[in-house]
Amino acid sequence: MQVHEAGVLGRAAKAAAPRLCRLASGRRIRQGTRLLEIYLEILQGRGAGTGWDLQGEIIAAQRFLRDVDAPVIFDVGANSGQWSSGLHTALGTRTGRFFMFEPQPACQSALAGTPVPNQVIIPAAVSNEEGSVTIFADAPGSGVASVHKRRDSYFGDMTAHQETVAVTTIDREVERWGLQRIDLLKLDIEGAEFEALRGAADTLEARRVKTIAFEFGSANVYSRTFFRDFWDLLTPLGYRLWRICPGGALFPVPAYTEELEHFRGVSNYVASLRTPEHGMTRMPVSRKPSEYVIG
């Protein structure tokens, strides 16, 4: 489209906006528009990581472990071990070493029973310094327990259950276990992901963490962290970022934009020093190499 034609269409669209706005203000149209908007966002991975596509998250993580025979994996926020169990199965004959971090006592017996060999259960939360902290949840063993008092519109009373737990850091555990690398660091700790990365400063600076899988979404409202914080921390260290779409497809994030500050539900991201396995599908609306999706 020529620049002149685009300008004419833009002016026409602006002129029509007030009348179209009145037409779109009806309840049924408004609800339908919102549902369509949410669906289109999910297709691009925004808000798609709310727990219904765990297999997609595992597929995406596995892409960064190719050619790694015995990966070292940190599962931070392991809960009952669903993610680690799924990844262990996906790795097949490759035996990884799983460090599973979970502060909730109600989850730790379930973790011990997961069919994951070479597992180390670390009964602690993860942050930027060692100590103790109060976690808040709707019930013992909750999958959305957080160190922050969440008031998400779609949750119940997230302060109904409270308990004090130990806190460690990534740097401390790397030193404690004498690890030379972490092939995959998964962070699912309901808004505390950025603080956990701050507690991995030395390990990150030494480029020992090869790939990071982390959540970003509604819980970050309560931790007061932005996607900009993750971008400014990780990209100067050489990490490239992708958003995980349904089914495990990877949507590249080549540059920061304010649209990444998406707080509806949860979006899952991967930051890596490695390149994922091949198999690239081009988005039909673009010819730019930066917008290829790995599917």
Side-chain angles (χ1 to χ4, degrees):
M1 181 182 295
Q2 298 296 322
V3 174
H4 174 70
E5 293 173 344
V8 171
L9 287 175
R11 288 193 294 273
K14 290 178 181 178
R19 182 172 297 177
L20 292 174
C21 181
R22 289 192 293 271
L23 291 173
S25 63
R27 182 178 179 181
R28 289 185 179 179
I29 294 178
R30 187 170 65 250
Q31 290 176 337
T33 300
R34 180 56 181 152
L35 289 174
L36 178 60
E37 178 186 356
I38 291 173
Y39 184 67
L40 293 176
E41 289 171 345
I42 286 175
L43 292 181
Q44 298 182 72
R46 289 197 289 262
T50 51
W52 61 270
D53 190 27
L54 178 62
Q55 188 60 32
E57 297 174 37
I58 292 169
I59 290 171
Q62 185 186 7
R63 295 180 188 278
F64 293 88
L65 295 176
R66 63 187 176 94
D67 302 328
V68 182
D69 291 330
V72 176
I73 297 157
F74 274 30
D75 182 356
V76 180
N79 197 254
S80 297
Q82 305 94 322
W83 182 87
S84 283
S85 295
L87 183 59
H88 165 66
T89 300
L91 290 175
T93 58
R94 290 181 292 165
T95 302
R97 191 179 184 190
F98 286 77
F99 292 83
M100 303 161 78
F101 296 75
E102 178 51 55
Q104 297 183 87
C107 295
Q108 288 160 14
S109 59
L111 276 179
T114 56
V116 178
N118 300 320
Q119 63 170 267
V120 176
I121 298 174
I122 300 175
V126 175
S127 190
N128 64 321
E129 59 183 20
E130 297 177 79
S132 62
V133 70
T134 299
I135 57 172
F136 304 90
D138 53 341
S142 172
V144 289
S146 176
V147 298
H148 302 285
K149 292 183 178 180
R150 299 177 63 176
R151 293 181 288 114
D152 303 55
S153 57
Y154 44 83
F155 283 150
D157 183 4
M158 285 296 294
T159 62
H161 178 74
Q162 303 179 20
E163 54 190 329
T164 301
V165 299
V167 180
T168 188
T169 70
I170 299 296
D171 282 342
R172 173 69 183 93
E173 297 304 322
V174 167
E175 178 185 15
R176 175 186 175 189
W177 296 96
L179 300 174
Q180 296 304 308
R181 73 181 195 280
I182 301 172
D183 294 295
L184 178 59
L185 167 61
K186 170 258 196 181
L187 298 170
D188 180 0
I189 45 179
E190 306 302 321
E193 289 82 1
F194 186 71
E195 291 303 300
L197 290 175
R198 288 183 60 201
D202 293 341
T203 309
L204 291 172
E205 189 67 34
R207 298 174 66 86
R208 292 185 181 182
V209 183
K210 304 307 178 183
T211 299
I212 305 165
F214 67 95
E215 286 191 344
F216 182 83
S218 61
N220 296 88
V221 171
Y222 305 100
S223 62
R224 302 297 193 268
T225 48
F226 295 93
F227 196 88
R228 179 98 237 184
D229 298 316
F230 291 89
W231 182 267
D232 288 349
L233 173 67
L234 296 173
T235 56
L237 296 173
Y239 288 92
R240 296 171 59 197
L241 277 74
W242 292 263
R243 188 166 58 244
I244 302 176
C245 300
L250 294 170
F251 192 101
V253 184
Y256 174 82
T257 70
E258 286 71 23
E259 292 178 356
L260 295 166
E261 310 294 355
H262 187 87
F263 298 104
R264 189 198 61 77
V266 172
S267 303
N268 285 313
Y269 288 89
V270 178
S272 187
L273 300 174
R274 292 175 171 149
T275 301
E277 67 181 1
H278 298 297
M280 304 182 72
T281 303
R282 190 187 307 179
M283 293 294 284
V285 296
S286 175
R287 296 181 180 177
K288 297 179 181 179
S290 63
E291 295 182 3
Y292 278 61
V293 171
I294 301 174

